[in-house]
Every structure is written in C-alpha cells, then in structure tokens.
C-alpha cells in the first residue's frame, strides 16, 4: 500500500490519519531505526509512513504540512519524540519529576510514597503495568539496584514508540543509570500478565491516576491525550496477584474510588494519592482479638496491614468487632441455656429435667 515504502518528505507526503515517521536533525544514522518504527506501527494496525528527509526539510516545515489531527514521530539521538499538528511541545522521554524523586531517594526525612507501598528490595523484578512516561519505572529501577530490573507495560503504540526510543540521555545521571534496567513491552497489561508464569516477578503495580483530569499537572496534557482511559479490571488485578511473589500495589487519586471498586484495601495515602496493597505472603494464624489482616477476592491473597492512622483505625475497628462478637456469643449462650431449661421443665425428659 501507500505506506509500505519510504516516501520523500514534501507537501504530498502529509496525509490525514497517517502517522509520519522521520528522523530528527541527526538524520542519516537513524534512518534505519525510523523505517523499522514505521513498519512496527503498521503491524499494530496504524497507518504509518516513513518519510526520508531531504536536506531542506526541517521538522518545522514537516509539521507545518501536517493536516489537522496529524502526528509525526522524529527519531534521533535524543530518542523518539512525538509531534502534533498545530504546534505545542513535543512528547519525549525525559527524567522530569522522576529526577527529583531520585535525588531525594534515601534522603533523611523523605519517603517516596510508591516505594513505601511497594517496599522494594535490591535485586527484585518489578512490573510497572501502566508505564506512561516511565517516571515510576525509573524510581523503581533505582530502588532495586543493578541486580534488579523493571518491566514496564504500555498499551498505546505511539506512547510505546516514545518510551522505547533509547535516548542518549534523560538529562539526569541517576535516571540514565536506572533506564538501563527498564524494558518496555507493548501490549494490553492484562494480556501481557496472563502470558507470564506464576510468581515470575516480585512486585506488580498499577497507576490508575489518569482516569480523571488533573488541574495540577498541565504538563501531562499530551500524555493524557494518549493514555488508555479504560478502568483497571479485576481480571488484571487477578493476573497480577498470580504473577507477583510478594505484593500488588494499586495507586489511585486521593479522592478516587478505584480501590473500593476493585476491592483493594487502602494501605496508606499521600497528599495526592492513595495506595492499596495486596500482600501475597502467607500471614500468621489470626485470632479474633489480634486480627489486622483481611482476605481479598484475589486468589485468597492477603491485604498488608495498613500504616499510621489507617492502622490505628483498623485496630480500633477490629477491637470493636471482637467486642461485639463476644457480646453476641454471650447473649446466645444465655438464650440457649434458658431454652434448654424451658424445654426441660415442659417435657420432663430433657437433661436435668427432673432436677432440683
């Protein structure tokens, strides 16, 4: 078809509904990678064309020729950037907010909320099932260290093209080192998790924050427009529980309702997020008086005890329920004793019926 062969950049090359793939200013060294990306996008069902740039064809000129709603991917030394018709900043992989989180990691008095929920350990295998621009994946990769690795899953082909674009640098040394431990898979996270063996990763986490717009994060408007807005499914959580050796973490907005919808109990909260945790480790035997752990519908997995105020509230609730259960049991015992006495008095044949 029209997109199966390289095309020379020009006015006739920009066609509505087509993803145009070309090289950045670095040009020739990246032509092969750009052509391969166009082929990969076509295999995903997108109408994609590779445009071989001429010497006078700047990105600005190519963007000016794009029809409304058109998009252009530029492959170069700085990775793969996504440009939309009509201008605006391109979407590219960079350290961004992750750079600050990485700098703060280990600092006295600082606790990254995601790391607190995941409790990552050196050498672990982690799955970021909602990759986005890899901010969380980079933080996780830094936490597991050189012996660990992170598998990030992205369902949107254009966003995967950006996150797997192998930039020479993210603008931060820690982020660059962490990126070397991150691999990005393209596909629906439920299907990808389903294809993985049991207990083949240590921790799996989901971020469902992008379901609702956030006024506090206008810089992510381009990413939000590409994000998969389908709600996280219970089947995805079930598959994550099967794959994870230790725990599954679900992030939600502070005012969100996803944890309740999915039946994932709250573990802790930050100013902007809530974190639910399903612990895959086997709990100790529970007693009515000391139970702080509850079961979930996910393969009998166990919910980790909450921390801070949440833990205190849960303990109070557990104590209240234990007291109510004890009171109910006592009242039931009294009622049964009275019933036996009545039956013994009427029939004369019950235990103790001919008694005193």
């Amino acid at each position: 078809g029209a997109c199966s062969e390289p095309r020379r950049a020009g006015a006739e090359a920009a066609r509505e509904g087509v993803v145009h793939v070309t090289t950045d200013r670095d040009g020739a060294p990246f032509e092969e990678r750009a052509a391969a990306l166009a082929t990969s996008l076509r295999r995903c069902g997108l109408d994609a064309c590779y445009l071989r740039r001429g010497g006078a064809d700047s990105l600005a000129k190519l963007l000016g020729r794009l029809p409304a709603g058109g998009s252009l991917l530029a492959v170069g030394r700085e990775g793969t950037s996504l440009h939309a018709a009509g201008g605006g900043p391109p979407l590219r992989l960079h350290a961004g907010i992750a750079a600050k989180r990485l700098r703060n990691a280990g600092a006295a008095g600082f606790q990254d909320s995601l790391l607190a929920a995941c409790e990552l350990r050196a050498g672990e295998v982690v799955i970021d099932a909602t990759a986005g621009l890899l901010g969380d994946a980079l933080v996780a990769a830094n936490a597991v260290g050189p012996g660990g690795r992170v598998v990030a899953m992205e369902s949107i082909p254009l966003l995967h093209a950006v996150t797997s674009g192998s930039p020479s640098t993210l603008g931060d040394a820690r982020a660059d080192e962490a990126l070397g431990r991150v691999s990005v898979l393209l596909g629906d996270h439920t299907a990808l998790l389903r294809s993985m063996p049991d207990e083949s990763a240590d921790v799996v986490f989901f971020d469902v924050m992008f379901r609702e717009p956030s006024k506090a994060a206008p810089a992510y408007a381009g990413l939000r427009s590409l994000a998969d807005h389908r709600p996280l499914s219970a089947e995805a959580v079930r598959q994550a529980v099967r794959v994870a050796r230790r725990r599954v973490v679900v992030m939600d907005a502070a005012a969100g309702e996803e944890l309740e919808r999915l039946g994932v109990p709250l573990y802790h909260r930050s100013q902007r997020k809530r974190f639910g945790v399903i612990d895959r480790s086997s709990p100790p035997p529970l007693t009515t008086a000391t139970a702080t752990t509850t079961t979930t519908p996910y393969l009998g997995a166990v919910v980790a005890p909450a921390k801070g105020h949440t833990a205190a509230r849960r303990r109070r609730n557990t104590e209240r329920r234990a007291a109510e259960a004890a009171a109910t049991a006592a009242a039931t015992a009294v009622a049964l004793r009275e019933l036996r006495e009545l039956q013994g008095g009427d029939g004369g044949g019950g235990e103790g019926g001919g008694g005193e």
Side-chain angles (χ1 to χ4, degrees):
C3 287
S4 61
E5 298 295 335
R7 297 166 59 89
R8 175 66 63 184
E12 74 284 358
R15 297 190 290 109
E16 189 170 359
V18 176
V19 179
H20 301 86
V21 185
T22 189
T23 54
D24 204 339
R25 60 177 177 270
D26 304 300
F30 298 93
E31 287 183 351
E32 184 176 346
R33 188 189 298 178
L37 175 57
T39 300
S40 175
L41 291 173
R42 288 197 297 275
R43 288 172 180 163
C44 293
L46 276 67
D47 192 1
C49 282
Y50 165 51
L51 303 180
R52 183 180 290 118
R53 288 176 60 180
D57 294 313
S58 67
L59 279 181
K61 287 183 178 179
L62 292 179
L63 288 171
R65 296 169 185 151
L66 287 180
S71 58
L72 184 143
L73 287 165
V75 179
R77 197 174 307 280
E78 297 178 0
T80 300
S81 55
L82 177 62
H83 305 254
L91 188 65
R92 65 173 75 248
L93 188 62
H94 56 85
I97 297 174
K100 181 178 180 180
R101 293 169 66 187
L102 292 173
R103 285 195 299 271
N104 289 335
F110 177 81
Q111 184 179 51
D112 188 279
S113 296
L114 173 63
L115 298 184
C118 292
E119 296 184 357
L120 298 180
R121 305 163 186 171
E124 288 195 319
V125 177
V126 182
I127 296 176
D128 177 356
T130 47
L133 282 178
L134 303 186
D136 289 333
L138 292 173
V139 172
N142 180 69
V144 299
R149 62 188 178 93
V150 174
V151 178
M153 298 177 175
E154 179 51 58
S155 62
I156 307 300
L158 290 180
L159 191 50
H160 176 264
V162 173
T163 55
S164 60
S166 303
S168 59
T169 180
L170 297 178
D172 180 88
R174 292 183 183 86
D176 289 342
E177 181 183 358
L179 184 61
R181 297 191 282 274
V182 178
S183 56
V184 189
L185 303 182
L186 174 60
D188 173 77
H189 57 222
T190 304
L192 290 173
L193 288 167
R194 190 179 289 122
S195 70
M196 301 180 72
D198 294 357
E199 299 187 354
S200 53
D202 295 287
V203 176
V204 180
F205 64 82
F206 301 88
D207 186 349
V208 298
M209 290 281 287
F210 273 31
R211 288 199 64 201
E212 300 293 338
S214 171
K215 294 180 179 179
Y220 287 89
L223 176 58
R224 192 180 300 282
S225 68
L226 288 175
D228 186 345
H229 295 281
R230 292 176 299 171
L232 180 61
S233 69
E235 174 62 15
V237 178
R238 277 191 290 270
Q239 292 300 327
V241 170
R242 181 185 60 79
V243 169
R245 282 186 284 265
R246 282 205 306 110
R247 58 177 44 187
V248 175
V249 175
V250 179
M251 291 175 271
D252 191 14
E257 300 178 349
E258 293 298 274
L259 299 184
E260 291 76 11
R261 181 181 67 82
L262 292 164
V264 178
L266 178 67
Y267 181 68
H268 80 92
R269 66 171 70 238
S270 65
Q271 184 177 0
R272 294 181 54 246
K273 293 186 178 183
R274 302 187 307 153
F275 295 80
V277 170
I278 300 173
D279 198 331
R280 293 285 285 116
S281 59
S282 299
L286 300 179
T287 65
T288 305
T290 61
T292 58
T293 311
T294 57
T295 58
T296 75
Y298 300 108
L299 302 182
V302 177
V303 180
K307 294 183 176 180
H309 296 298
T310 302
R313 184 170 61 252
R314 185 171 291 171
R315 283 193 295 272
R316 288 195 298 271
N317 289 338
T318 299
E319 292 168 359
R320 176 180 54 78
R321 287 193 294 269
E324 290 173 351
T328 300
T332 301
V334 171
L336 288 173
R337 185 169 61 251
E338 292 176 348
L339 180 60
R340 284 196 297 269
E341 289 173 355
L342 286 172
Q343 288 174 337
D346 291 340
E351 226 177 273
E356 304 176 6

